[in-house]
Amino acid sequence: MSAFDDLDTRGGPPIVKPANTFFNTGVNSDSRKQYGFGMRVTGDRDDAGGSWIVFEPEGRFQVSSRLSGSLGMEYTSARDSAQWIKNIDTDGDGNDDHVYGRLRRHIVNITGRTTYSFTRDMTLEAYLQPFVAVGDYSNIGRLARPKSFEFAPVTLDDNPDFNRKSVRGTVVLRWEYVRGSTLFAVWNVATSDEDARKGLFSPLRDLGGAFGAPGTNTFAIKLSYWFAP
């Protein structure tokens, strides 16, 4: 059933949230096996024509007692019936209006992890996560009256569409050189960019752009030593 939401307008009056139907299903292979696979699918549809669906496939591997890892993806495809954009005075009356729009969005989030054990005391762990979020707004309007789901068309001076991408990656070498005392060597990479192709979704190009985006590289060493009592 529909309900009032007094937070969605970011400080304004309540807005009606349409009734919705939600589903969630998933399947996983035997986690005790050397190789495994899982898939989860969740989705939602509301009475105003909005909907979203999320696919979450994941693969796992245990090549040997030394090498294991996983690779998973989360892909979201959505049509939000009314997504808040910002609060701004659109009609010159001195009061902020609550501006919304229908949003077509795509989100790709890939996560890879792997661990290699050289010995019981030395391991190498790697983590990589490229991310892409693309949104295209249409039917932009201000909330016509409090406690409603009605919108009056407005024109914004700026383009709220977006195409954002990033990569986060970490490699950690852990060495317990003396029992209870550990050395960590950590390399971290972080990239981020806002593509000029706002609202346009091209999975391969966008993921490739995430790796080529401007970023930083950080290397750190942490050493701990345990003093026996």
Side-chain angles (χ1 to χ4, degrees):
M1 60 182 296
S2 60
F4 293 124
D5 188 335
D6 59 356
L7 300 177
D8 195 68
T9 53
R10 277 66 168 180
I15 184 176
V16 170
K17 303 298 287 187
N20 66 307
T21 302
F22 174 82
F23 73 88
N24 182 356
T25 185
V27 61
N28 279 285
S29 62
D30 190 340
S31 61
R32 298 169 296 179
K33 301 295 185 180
Q34 184 177 10
Y35 298 95
F37 178 79
M39 169 68 85
R40 180 170 297 279
V41 181
T42 56
D44 183 283
R45 183 174 182 83
D46 64 44
D47 290 348
S51 63
W52 57 263
I53 187 167
V54 181
F55 299 94
E56 298 178 76
E58 180 187 31
R60 304 176 298 275
F61 62 87
Q62 179 81 43
V63 176
S64 66
S65 60
R66 294 178 180 271
L67 180 62
S68 63
S70 65
L71 180 64
M73 182 182 75
E74 181 179 307
Y75 170 61
T76 301
S77 176
R79 296 181 184 274
D80 300 320
S81 52
Q83 172 62 46
W84 178 86
I85 299 175
K86 60 182 176 180
N87 293 339
I88 188 174
D89 184 4
T90 62
D91 52 13
D93 64 357
N95 298 315
D96 279 350
D97 298 304
H98 310 286
V99 180
Y100 284 76
R102 290 187 66 89
L103 176 61
R104 180 72 173 106
R105 59 186 171 95
H106 302 271
I107 300 174
V108 179
N109 185 9
I110 300 174
T111 303
R113 293 183 174 89
T114 186
T115 301
Y116 184 80
S117 300
F118 297 97
T119 66
R120 185 184 65 178
D121 301 323
M122 180 180 288
T123 60
L124 183 67
E125 299 180 17
Y127 166 86
L128 187 67
Q129 185 181 53
F131 174 84
V132 171
V134 179
D136 180 22
Y137 283 96
S138 62
N139 299 340
I140 296 174
R142 59 179 175 82
L143 185 64
R145 56 186 179 84
K147 296 184 178 181
S148 75
F149 197 74
E150 300 172 9
F151 303 92
V154 298
T155 301
L156 297 179
D157 293 332
D158 56 330
N159 179 10
D161 297 346
F162 56 88
N163 185 323
R164 303 187 182 105
K165 56 199 66 177
S166 65
V167 172
R168 299 289 182 270
T170 303
V171 178
V172 180
L173 177 67
R174 176 187 177 277
W175 176 31
E176 191 173 357
Y177 58 95
V178 176
R179 191 63 57 206
S181 303
T182 310
L183 169 71
F184 293 94
V186 182
W187 173 63
N188 179 267
V189 60
T191 73
S192 180
D193 195 18
E194 174 75 29
D195 199 309
R197 299 164 56 255
K198 293 184 175 183
L200 299 178
F201 179 58
S202 178
L204 294 180
R205 173 170 176 163
D206 290 334
L207 285 171
F211 285 94
T216 59
N217 288 272
T218 304
F219 182 74
I221 293 179
K222 176 183 176 181
L223 180 69
S224 66
Y225 184 80
W226 181 68
F227 292 92

